[in-house]
Amino acid sequence: MKQNMNRWQVLIASTVVLLCTGDIYAFSVFAGPLSATKSWGMPEIMLAFTINSAVAPIPMIIGGFFTDRGLAKWSITVGGLMFGLGFCLSGLATSPTMLYLTYGLLAGIGQGLAYSGCLSNTIKLFPDKKGLAAGIITAGMGGAAIIAAPIANFFIQNYDVTFAFRVLGIAYMVIILIASLFIKSASGNQTPKTAQPVAGQEKLDKVNKNWLDMLKTPTFYIIFLMMFTGAFSGLMIAANASVIGQQMFGLTPTTAAFYVSLYSLSNCLGRVIWGTVSDKLGRNNTLYIILGVIILAFVLLLSLSSATGFAISIMILGICFGGVMGVYPPLVMENYGPINQGVNYGIVFCGYSVAAFFGPKIAVSIAKSNHGDFSKAFYVAIAVAVGGLILNFVYQKTKGTAQN
C-alpha cells in the first residue's frame, strides 16, 4: 500500500541523528588524554568503548521491536537523548567504573536505540534503493568522527578532555531534539508513493519471517558469523587509530586526530559507495571485493612504515568497514522480509557486538605485549577476513545463488 511521506526528509533527519551518536568512532581521540588526565590504564579505558559497542544489540532489538510497530520516532528521540546524556556525564566520571556506566552503558544503550530506529525505519521507505538508503543512513554513524574528532581535539587541547565530553554531550542532545521533529515512522508494508516498483518485491513482502523463524534457518548463523568477520578489522582500527598512528608512526596527537577524521570520512563514503554497488552487483559479490581489499590494506599497513602508508591503509580499511555496515541491512531484509526488519537486524547485529568485544581488546592486548606494536594484531585481522571470504562462499552455496 502506498502512503504520502517525504522519505528524503526522514532520511536526512535520521542521518543527522546518527552524525551525533556516531561519535563513538572518535573514541581514540579521547582515550589517550583521558588516560593522561585520570592516570587510568589504556586497557581500562578501552573497556568503556568495548562495553558501549557490546551492549548495542540489546537496545537495537528493543528499538527494532518499537520500530516494527510504528514507533521509530520514539526510539530515535529517547535513544539519542540517552546517548547525549551519557556522553556528557562521561566528563564527570571519577573512576573507570563510572565511565563504564556513563559512556559504556547509558550512551551505548541510547546509541543502539537511535541506530535501530533510524536504520530500520528508513530502509523500509526505500524498497527500490535499499543499498543506497542503508549506505546513506549508516554513513551518518561512520562520518560522525570527521566532525567530532577535530572539534573534540580542539576542546581537549584548549580546555581538557572532561570539558570536551560535557560540551559535546549537551550539543548532541540539542541537535537530536531538533532533528527528531522531522522524522516520521513507516508502518507495515506501506511504502511512499515516490518509491519505484521493484522486481520481485511482492515475493519479498511475503517472506516476512519473525525472529523465531529466522533463527530456524541455517543462513542466519552464516550471516551472523559473516557480520563478525566483516566488522572485526574496522572496529579494531576505529578504536585504536589515533594510538596506532602515534605509537607506530610517530604522529602528534593533532595529526593523529586528523587521520581519525580521514578514517571516518572513508568509512562514511564506503557505506554509500558499497551500498549502491551492492544494489547492482549483489550483496555477496560485493562482500567478496570488500573482504579481499581488507586483506590487501593490512598487507600494505604491515609493509609501509611511513605516515603516508598509514594514511592510505586506514582510508582503504575505512571504506571497506563502511561497506560492511551498508551491505548487511539490505542482506537481512532480502532474506527475512521488511516487516520484522528492526528486530531481525538487531539480532544479526549481535555479530557486530561480538567483533566489538574482541577486535579492540585483542589489538590492545597484543600491542601491550609488544611494546606498542600492533603488527601481530594486523595478522589476526587478516586471518579473520579470510574466514569471512570462506563464509561468504558457504552462504552462496547454501542459498544456491551468486546474488541476493
Side-chain angles (χ1 to χ4, degrees), residues 119 123 126-127 129-135 138 204 207-209 214 217-230 274-276 278-279 281-288 290-291 323-338 340-341 344-346 348-349 388 391-396 398-399 401-404:
L119 177 59
I123 197 174
F126 290 83
K129 296 181 176 67
K130 291 189 291 290
L132 174 63
T138 58
L204 172 61
V207 176
N208 287 321
K209 294 181 182 294
M214 179 181 71
T217 65
T219 54
F220 162 76
Y221 300 95
I222 301 173
I223 293 173
F224 180 93
L225 291 173
M226 287 166 62
M227 169 68 89
F228 168 83
T229 61
W274 290 115
T276 305
S278 71
D279 282 337
L281 298 183
R283 315 305 170 195
N284 294 103
N285 289 336
T286 302
L287 286 172
Y288 276 127
I290 290 173
L291 291 166
V324 168
M325 303 312 296
V327 167
Y328 278 93
L331 181 66
V332 172
M333 181 177 285
E334 288 165 357
N335 275 275
Y336 306 111
N340 301 298
Q341 170 72 5
N344 290 345
Y345 184 68
V348 171
F349 199 77
L391 285 168
N392 196 36
F393 177 78
V394 172
Y395 172 84
Q396 285 188 307
T398 302
K399 293 289 293 182
T401 178
Q403 295 187 6
N404 293 297

Side-chain angles (χ1 to χ4, degrees), residues 297-302 304 308-318:
F298 275 110
V299 171
L300 289 175
L301 197 56
L302 288 163
L304 303 176
T308 301
F310 174 65
I312 293 172
S313 299
I314 66 168
M315 286 178 68
I316 294 173
L317 287 169

Side-chain angles (χ1 to χ4, degrees), residues 4 11 14 19 24 31 48 84 95 106 148 150 177 179 189 222 297 325 338 356 377 388:
N4 287 312
L11 174 60
S14 299
L19 278 169
I24 60 169
S95 68
L106 183 57
L177 271 176
N189 274 349
I222 301 173
M325 303 312 296

Side-chain angles (χ1 to χ4, degrees), residues 7 91 117 127 188 342:
R7 58 180 182 169

Side-chain angles (χ1 to χ4, degrees), residues 13-71:
S14 299
T15 303
V16 169
V17 172
L18 297 189
L19 278 169
C20 295
T21 62
D23 196 356
I24 60 169
Y25 292 123
F27 188 67
S28 62
V29 174
F30 295 89
L34 197 57
S35 177
T37 301
K38 301 291 187 178
S39 299
W40 301 335
M42 283 299 290
E44 286 182 300
I45 291 172
M46 293 312 299
L47 182 57
F49 176 86
T50 300
I51 293 172
N52 182 290
S53 300
V55 301
I58 299 172
M60 278 194 67
I61 294 170
I62 296 172
F65 176 84
F66 288 113
T67 299
D68 292 341
R69 285 154 182 77
L71 299 173

